[in-house]
């Protein structure tokens, strides 16, 4: 059977996973009466809740005696570590672009990686049946994007298709029959070359591990493309690290191949195919799994460095240990090291004292997903405000810059530009009409300036604006950027909040808690209307007497309090504050700063 390996690239919510659903259905991967969940490739619980792809996953379909391995890539730049590794396994890419929105920042990020590897793209303009679709404009923007990213002549001569993933059709012409996805299948088979590794099937076995998984029955599983040779179940191989040489020798206990949504056990792994191996105890991502006769490791794609760092510590508040079962620093450290092992975009280092750990990653969303997974596993944590990582080159201090693309109603464009180019030290790159009363703004903004901005942005645009960001590069340090302007309301008592006390405090600012909430000294219960912090008593009840008079007992009507999501809470806090995360609660609190910590924060700002 012929073989093709492709990856599907798309921006968040451009219909990538929905299109894969239809490819699986129309290729016969499912039985007619088989119950299949919508967005079947989004198997992770958080992926389904948030509607985004977080983990790179593979599947395969069969079409006219050709097996097509399809890799579903994350659409958000925060999970770019997944993308960079997974693209090394494929020979072509399908770039899916919303016909109304055109290519977006995450499209640009992943596409630049694919073009740099020499992959020839197929462009699919999705959602062309929407009323606001402009496929011709979107196609022109894709061509301009490829040219700006340095595509060669073969890559610029790309085939384009018009499709509707939800309706399950794709055609070479905009006014085609709109029947099924047969044209897309045929184009993939004709345009994407067969794996060059097939010619090396007689050489010793070699495979580069790109993703790490685990199974409760067979243990660690490493997935990758077989670069040369064949491998049978039961044979002995060795794992080589790029830096340290031999990692371990092990016997392959199981070989799994992707067949539809499931993985099936096979007897022989052949060159060019994407397979998973079991039997190792130490080998991990970026290691080479090779025959005993091979002496050196395979070259691996370099991973872009992390840009922010967040401190994970134990929960030492008075309410610690009430919700979660995993509260010790040792358990937290083991979990973070396990995450860093499978996610090469994350780095974990111990802080002085050993009770907190600095986790460096790509962005706030990546950190938010890691923390959310940990709290669902029963961990209790205290999380610091994200800090940007700086570089030193030739005696000059550099900081990460992000390209921000904003779609906003015309009436709010002025306030948005003022915010990002003023105090946040951004540079306006482009501003153009985006149709139907909207403006598209492109700016280069320091990562420091975007921490905590998203909530303010939604307020400024009355919830109608859309902000996308992607790492753009490094630039000279742009000077201090002011943080949050408002102060906070801090509890001065331990106990349960009282509705009457919160009602009297409403004139001081907006509340973050409701009545009957557990509070403690130092916990942040609201935002002060002024720029200074204020200690308040949320437990103060009404003084009762025996005298009752008409009109003296006002009914307590509380304004609904603000409920932060995890990412919003992390972005909101200041340098001297922490987010307390437990399986059932997200709280904000003040922290004590020792002199060493004060000096470090002064240097960072």
């Amino acid at each position: 059977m012929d073989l093709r390996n492709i990856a599907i690239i798309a921006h968040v919510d451009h219909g990538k996973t929905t299109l894969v659903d239809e490819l699986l259905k129309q290729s016969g991967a499912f039985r007619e009466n088989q119950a299949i969940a919508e967005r079947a490739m989004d198997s992770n619980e958080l992926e389904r809740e948030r509607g985004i792809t977080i983990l790179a996953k593979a599947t395969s379909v069969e079409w006219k005696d050709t097996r097509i391995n399809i890799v579903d890539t994350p659409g958000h730049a925060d999970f770019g570590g997944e993308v960079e590794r997974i693209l090394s396994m494929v020979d072509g890419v399908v770039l899916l672009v919303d016909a109304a929105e055109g290519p977006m920042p995450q499209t640009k990020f992943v596409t630049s990686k694919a073009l740099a590897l020499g992959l020839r793209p197929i462009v699919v303009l999705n959602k062309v049946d929407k009323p606001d679709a402009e496929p011709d404009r979107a196609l022109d923007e894709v061509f301009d994007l490829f040219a700006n990213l340095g595509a060669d002549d073969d890559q610029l001569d790309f085939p384009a298709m018009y499709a509707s993933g939800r309706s399950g059709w794709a055609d070479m012409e905009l006014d085609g029959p709109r029947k099924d996805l047969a044209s897309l299948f045929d184009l993939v088979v004709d345009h994407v070359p067969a794996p060059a590794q097939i010619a090396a099937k007689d050489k010793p076995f070699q495979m580069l591990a790109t993703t790490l998984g685990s199974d409760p029955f067979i243990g660690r599983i490493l997935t990758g493309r077989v670069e040369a040779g064949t491998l049978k179940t039961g044979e002995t191989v060795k794992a080589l690290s790029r830096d340290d040489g031999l990692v371990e020798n092990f016997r392959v206990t199981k070989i799994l191949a992707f067949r539809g949504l499931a993985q099936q056990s096979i007897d022989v792994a052949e060159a060019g195919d994407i397979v998973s191996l079991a039997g190792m105890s130490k080998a991990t991502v970026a290691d080479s799994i090779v025959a005993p006769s091979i002496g050196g490791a395979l070259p691996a794609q370099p991973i872009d460095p992390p840009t922010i760092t967040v401190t994970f510590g134990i929960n030492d508040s008075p309410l610690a240990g009430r919700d979660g079962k995993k509260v010790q620093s040792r358990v937290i450290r083991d979990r973070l090291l396990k995450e860093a092992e499978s996610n090469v975009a994350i780095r974990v280092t111990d802080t002085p004292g050993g009770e907190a750990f600095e986790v460096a990653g790509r962005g706030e969303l990546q950190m938010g997903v890691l923390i959310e997974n940990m709290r669902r596993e029963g961990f209790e944590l205290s999380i610091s405000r994200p800090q940007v990582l700086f570089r030193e080159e030739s005696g000059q201090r550099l900081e990460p810059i992000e390209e921000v693309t904003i779609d906003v109603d015309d009436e709010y464009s002025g306030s948005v530009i003022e915010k990002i180019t003023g105090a946040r030290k951004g540079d306006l790159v482009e501003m153009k009409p985006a149709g139907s009363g909207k403006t598209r703004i492109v700016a280069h903004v320091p990562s420091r300036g975007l921490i905590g901005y998203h909530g303010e942005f939604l307020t400024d645009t009355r919830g109608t604006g859309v902000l996308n960001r992607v790492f753009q590069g490094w630039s000279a340090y742009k000077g201090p950027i002011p943080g949050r302007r408002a102060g906070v309301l801090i509890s001065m008592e331990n106990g349960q909040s009282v509705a009457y006390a919160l009602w009297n405090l409403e004139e001081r600012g907006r509340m973050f808690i409701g009545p009957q909430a557990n509070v403690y000294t130092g916990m942040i219960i609201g935002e002060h209307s002024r720029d200074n912090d204020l200690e308040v008593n949320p437990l103060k009840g009404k003084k009762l007497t025996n005298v009752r008079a008409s009109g003296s007992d006002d009914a307590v009507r509380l304004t609904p309090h603000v409920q932060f999501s995890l990412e919003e809470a992390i972005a909101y806090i200041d340098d001297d504050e922490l987010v307390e995360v437990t399986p059932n609660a997200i709280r904000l609190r003040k922290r004590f700063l020792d002199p060493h910590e004060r000096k470090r924060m002064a240097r960072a700002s």
Side-chain angles (χ1 to χ4, degrees):
M1 184 174 283
D2 285 343
L3 187 64
R4 300 290 186 274
N5 296 323
I6 64 166
I8 297 188
I9 297 172
H11 182 75
V12 177
D13 202 32
H14 277 203
K16 166 169 47 67
T17 310
T18 304
L19 179 68
V20 174
D21 281 358
E22 288 297 323
L23 290 172
L24 288 165
K25 288 176 185 175
Q26 296 189 25
S27 67
F30 305 141
R31 301 189 314 271
E32 282 191 26
N33 63 341
Q34 187 172 348
I36 300 298
E38 187 181 5
R39 293 182 287 117
M41 289 291 282
D42 283 348
S43 54
N44 182 282
E45 184 181 351
L46 273 181
E47 291 179 321
R48 289 194 167 280
E49 287 182 14
R50 298 177 181 229
I52 61 174
T53 301
I54 296 171
L55 304 172
K57 294 173 288 292
T59 185
S60 76
V61 299
E62 292 183 10
W63 182 258
K64 296 180 180 177
D65 299 324
T66 301
R67 177 177 296 117
I68 304 173
N69 286 322
I70 302 173
V71 178
D72 187 13
T73 60
H76 200 285
D78 278 18
F79 310 108
E82 294 276 336
V83 172
E84 291 157 1
R85 287 179 287 134
I86 219 76
L87 288 177
S88 65
M89 297 200 304
V90 301
D91 305 292
V93 294
V94 174
L95 174 60
L96 197 67
V97 178
D98 190 308
E101 293 186 0
M104 296 292 281
Q106 271 76 45
T107 311
K108 177 179 177 180
F109 169 79
V110 186
T111 304
S112 66
K113 303 291 182 184
L115 295 177
L117 290 171
L119 302 176
R120 294 176 60 202
I122 296 171
V123 176
V124 177
L125 298 169
N126 196 26
K127 305 183 184 181
V128 295
D129 50 353
K130 288 174 61 178
D132 58 343
E134 297 181 59
D136 293 337
R137 174 186 60 80
L139 190 60
D140 290 342
E141 290 179 357
V142 171
F143 185 87
D144 293 341
L145 173 64
F146 286 1
N148 292 335
L149 294 176
D152 59 31
D153 292 342
D154 286 340
Q155 291 170 328
L156 287 173
D157 188 22
F158 57 83
M161 298 195 75
Y162 303 91
S164 172
R166 184 171 290 279
S167 302
W169 59 263
D171 295 314
M172 297 299 294
E173 305 293 335
L174 183 57
D175 54 355
R178 302 192 173 189
K179 185 179 178 184
D180 53 29
L181 295 170
S183 299
L184 179 56
F185 281 118
D186 292 336
L187 182 59
V188 168
V189 173
D190 295 338
H191 184 75
V192 177
Q197 290 78 7
I198 292 177
K201 63 182 179 180
D202 297 326
K203 295 182 178 179
F205 178 79
Q206 299 177 61
M207 185 186 99
L208 182 68
T210 53
T211 62
L212 173 69
S214 63
D215 184 276
F217 300 104
I218 60 178
R220 291 167 76 90
I221 300 174
L222 285 174
T223 302
R225 179 172 65 176
V226 181
E227 300 294 329
T230 58
L231 180 69
K232 295 181 180 179
T233 304
E235 290 186 349
T236 300
V237 293
K238 62 182 180 181
L240 298 176
S241 168
R242 284 181 299 169
D243 305 320
D244 305 325
L246 180 66
V247 176
E248 66 171 327
N249 293 297
F250 66 93
R251 189 175 71 87
V252 177
T253 58
K254 215 170 191 62
I255 302 174
L256 302 170
F258 294 94
R259 300 292 182 261
L261 285 177
Q263 281 188 295
Q264 294 181 3
S265 179
I266 59 174
D267 296 326
V268 182
E270 299 181 341
D273 202 0
I274 297 174
V275 297
S276 301
L277 306 180
M280 71 289 299
S281 60
K282 297 178 183 177
T284 186
V285 171
D287 287 349
S288 300
I289 313 299
V290 297
S293 59
I294 299 294
L298 294 168
Q301 279 296 114
I303 304 297
D304 284 347
T307 56
I308 70 164
T309 179
V310 172
T311 301
F312 285 56
I314 59 171
N315 180 19
D316 54 0
S317 82
L319 301 179
R322 296 192 183 185
D323 295 341
K325 303 297 183 184
K326 301 174 182 177
V327 297
Q328 305 94 335
S329 60
R330 170 183 53 82
V331 179
I332 294 171
R333 182 178 186 273
D334 290 345
R335 174 63 177 86
L336 292 175
L337 291 177
K338 180 182 176 183
E339 182 72 23
E341 187 177 33
S342 60
N343 188 343
V344 294
I346 280 182
R347 289 203 309 251
V348 180
T349 54
D350 293 351
T351 59
E355 290 198 344
F357 314 96
E358 285 194 356
V359 181
R362 287 289 187 85
E364 294 165 66
L365 179 59
Q366 183 190 36
M367 292 297 167
V369 167
L370 171 58
I371 297 166
E372 183 64 37
N373 281 326
M374 290 181 69
R375 72 183 288 226
R376 293 184 183 199
E377 294 167 14
F379 284 86
E380 289 197 7
L381 306 163
S382 59
I383 308 296
S384 73
R385 176 179 169 84
Q387 300 289 337
V388 169
L389 292 170
F390 297 99
R391 270 187 182 181
E392 293 285 340
E393 284 187 11
S394 304
Q396 187 179 26
R397 192 184 196 191
L398 304 180
E399 67 174 321
I401 304 292
E402 300 192 34
E403 182 176 274
V404 181
T405 302
I406 297 170
D407 289 315
V408 64
D409 292 344
D410 294 340
E411 59 188 296
Y412 306 128
S413 60
S415 61
V416 170
I417 292 173
E418 181 184 353
K419 288 283 177 69
I420 61 175
T421 60
R424 299 181 185 275
K425 305 289 177 71
D427 297 320
L428 187 64
V429 176
E430 185 181 10
M431 179 178 174
K432 62 181 181 182
S436 60
K438 288 190 174 290
T439 300
R440 174 164 293 181
I441 301 165
V442 181
H444 292 166
V445 186
S447 298
R448 291 180 298 137
L450 293 173
I451 294 175
Y453 174 60
H454 194 257
E456 191 177 334
F457 167 77
L458 291 177
T459 302
D460 291 343
T461 60
R462 306 298 187 270
T464 61
V466 178
L467 184 148
N468 292 285
R469 45 194 279 196
V470 63
F471 176 71
Q472 194 264 336
W474 297 83
S475 178
Y477 180 68
K478 292 182 176 287
I481 294 176
R484 189 186 68 218
R485 295 178 182 174
V488 290
L489 302 176
I490 305 168
S491 172
M492 57 194 299
E493 297 287 347
N494 299 323
Q496 283 194 332
S497 58
V498 176
Y500 181 79
L502 297 180
W503 181 54
N504 284 318
L505 288 173
E506 283 188 348
E507 62 184 23
R508 298 287 189 179
R510 55 177 185 158
M511 293 293 119
F512 297 160
I513 63 168
Q516 303 303 308
N518 290 321
V519 297
Y520 53 84
T521 304
M523 178 174 160
I524 297 171
I525 65 166
E527 181 179 85
H528 194 194
S529 55
R530 301 185 180 182
D531 60 0
N532 63 305
D533 296 343
L534 183 66
E535 291 192 355
V536 295
N537 184 0
L539 276 57
K540 187 177 181 181
K542 184 179 180 182
K543 299 297 181 186
L544 300 178
T545 68
N546 291 328
V547 179
R548 291 290 180 269
S550 175
S552 64
D553 295 316
D554 294 327
V556 173
R557 291 191 178 93
L558 291 176
T559 304
H561 62 278
V562 176
Q563 287 187 304
F564 284 123
S565 67
L566 183 58
E567 285 89 356
E568 289 170 344
I570 294 171
Y572 178 82
I573 58 174
D574 220 331
D575 290 335
D576 62 343
E577 298 163 1
L578 293 172
V579 179
E580 177 188 342
V581 179
T582 74
N584 299 323
I586 297 173
R587 306 183 185 96
L588 311 183
R589 65 183 177 89
K590 283 286 182 180
R591 67 168 170 171
F592 174 74
L593 294 179
D594 58 36
H596 172 76
E597 185 77 359
R598 280 202 189 92
K599 288 179 182 178
R600 189 186 71 81
M601 289 186 172
R603 287 197 302 269
S605 61

